[in-house]
Amino acid sequence: MEDLEKILATTENVKLIYVIPDFQNPSGRTWPMERRKQFMEIINKYEIPVLEDNPYGELRFKGEFLPALKSMDTKGLVMYFSTFSKILTPGFRLAWICAAPNIMEKLSLITQAAVLQTSTLNMMVVSKYLDMFDVDKHIEAIRPVYKHRCELMINTMRETFPEKVKFTDPDGGLFTWVEMPEYVNTRDLALKALEKKVAFVPGSGFFPNGGNEHCLRLNYSNSTDEKLVDGVRRLAEVIKESLK
């Protein structure tokens, strides 16, 4: 946070800050409470708008829920974005926003210019679902599913990955972040993994200026137990070959 404050104190070029405090994509990491407080103190001091992207926050399956940055927003600076695609139905790609009225007015105009209008049918279906069913109960039902898949993947990685390979153990969300020795290029590794019918996202694709070629992201959200275990074991074989 010292670096952030130093930047804001020495330049007026920062117009917006984008953050994913909960189960960040691609790392799966979550901001602790102290970091959230420090961040919001800086934001309120310099009055910089923030886009808080929280598509995964409802999918916590370990530990305690932490408050959104928006709940600490005393000046209407935080725009809170979330989505039904991670908690209800991925194909609808339907999101929602909580922001100050003056910001919502501008966002509405931007949305009209960018996409004209979100699918009316999708909005009607989700609205009807919320009227007829308990979405919180549904979320409670899917959390144990993701918890099981995450633990299965992480435990299999611990059993099969070389010690030189490090990875996150998330408390929620859909991803784990894997760090290989720096001499490994995961784009090349991805091609070898595909030969064994295993796919992952190389780390460099998550950074606008490149870098982190030795990292990769794994997703445990939508596979059977058998495919998860088999896929991790196949990937472990590819990794071991690359480290020789």
Side-chain angles (χ1 to χ4, degrees):
M1 288 302 167
E2 291 180 3
D3 291 340
L4 174 61
E5 182 154 22
K6 183 178 180 180
I7 292 171
L8 296 180
T10 55
T11 180
E12 296 182 355
N13 293 331
V14 179
K15 305 302 181 184
L16 176 75
I17 298 176
Y18 173 87
V19 294
I20 310 178
D22 293 278
F23 317 121
Q24 190 258 358
N25 180 11
S27 71
R29 296 187 179 99
T30 295
W31 287 13
M33 189 64 201
E34 186 59 31
R35 183 179 180 87
R36 294 169 191 248
K37 290 179 179 178
Q38 292 174 354
F39 178 79
M40 287 308 300
E41 287 175 1
I42 295 172
I43 293 306
N44 287 326
K45 178 179 178 180
Y46 293 96
E47 297 189 345
I48 302 296
V50 174
L51 197 166
E52 179 181 10
D53 193 6
N54 191 23
Y56 316 107
E58 294 279 4
L59 301 179
R60 174 177 284 277
F61 43 71
K62 290 191 293 185
E64 296 183 1
F65 280 86
L66 296 172
L69 302 180
K70 182 62 180 173
S71 69
M72 307 176 193
D73 179 19
T74 59
K75 296 186 177 182
L77 295 168
V78 178
M79 297 167 279
Y80 183 93
F81 284 48
S82 192
T83 177
F84 291 102
S85 68
K86 302 299 186 291
I87 60 173
L88 191 58
T89 173
F92 277 8
R93 316 305 294 176
L94 184 62
W96 55 273
I97 304 170
C98 178
N102 62 316
I103 294 178
M104 289 297 294
E105 182 179 352
K106 297 294 185 182
L107 288 174
S108 179
L109 293 174
I110 293 171
T111 300
Q112 292 174 31
V115 298
L116 294 182
Q117 178 183 328
T118 304
S119 167
T120 301
L121 177 61
N122 289 358
M123 290 191 290
M124 291 178 67
V125 170
V126 172
S127 178
K128 193 66 174 178
Y129 178 92
L130 296 176
D131 288 340
M132 296 178 62
F133 303 101
D134 186 341
V135 69
D136 292 326
K137 188 174 181 180
H138 166 71
I139 295 171
E140 289 177 3
I142 63 176
R143 283 185 192 128
V145 176
Y146 289 130
K147 181 177 187 291
H148 169 74
R149 290 174 180 170
C150 177
E151 290 178 345
L152 184 61
M153 172 175 276
I154 296 299
N155 289 336
T156 307
M157 291 166 68
R158 286 181 177 139
E159 294 171 2
T160 60
F161 278 21
E163 291 185 3
K164 293 180 180 180
V165 179
K166 309 300 180 184
F167 47 86
T168 58
D169 185 359
D171 293 331
L174 307 174
F175 313 108
T176 181
W177 183 246
V178 182
E179 296 185 19
M180 309 279 288
E182 292 192 3
Y183 62 83
V184 176
N185 187 310
T186 55
R187 288 191 178 275
D188 296 335
L189 192 73
L191 297 177
K192 296 177 182 178
L194 284 173
E195 294 176 1
K196 292 185 176 292
K197 309 298 182 182
V198 177
F200 60 78
V201 184
S204 59
F206 295 100
F207 298 86
N209 298 319
N212 290 275
E213 284 87 358
H214 65 294
C215 299
L216 62 93
R217 189 199 73 179
L218 295 178
N219 183 314
Y220 48 79
S221 65
N222 189 28
S223 292
T224 64
D225 289 4
E226 293 77 12
K227 285 187 176 181
L228 268 178
V229 172
D230 186 41
V232 170
R233 287 176 175 168
R234 293 187 188 193
L235 179 57
E237 293 176 6
V238 176
I239 291 174
K240 289 173 183 176
E241 286 293 325
S242 71
L243 298 184
K244 288 183 178 179

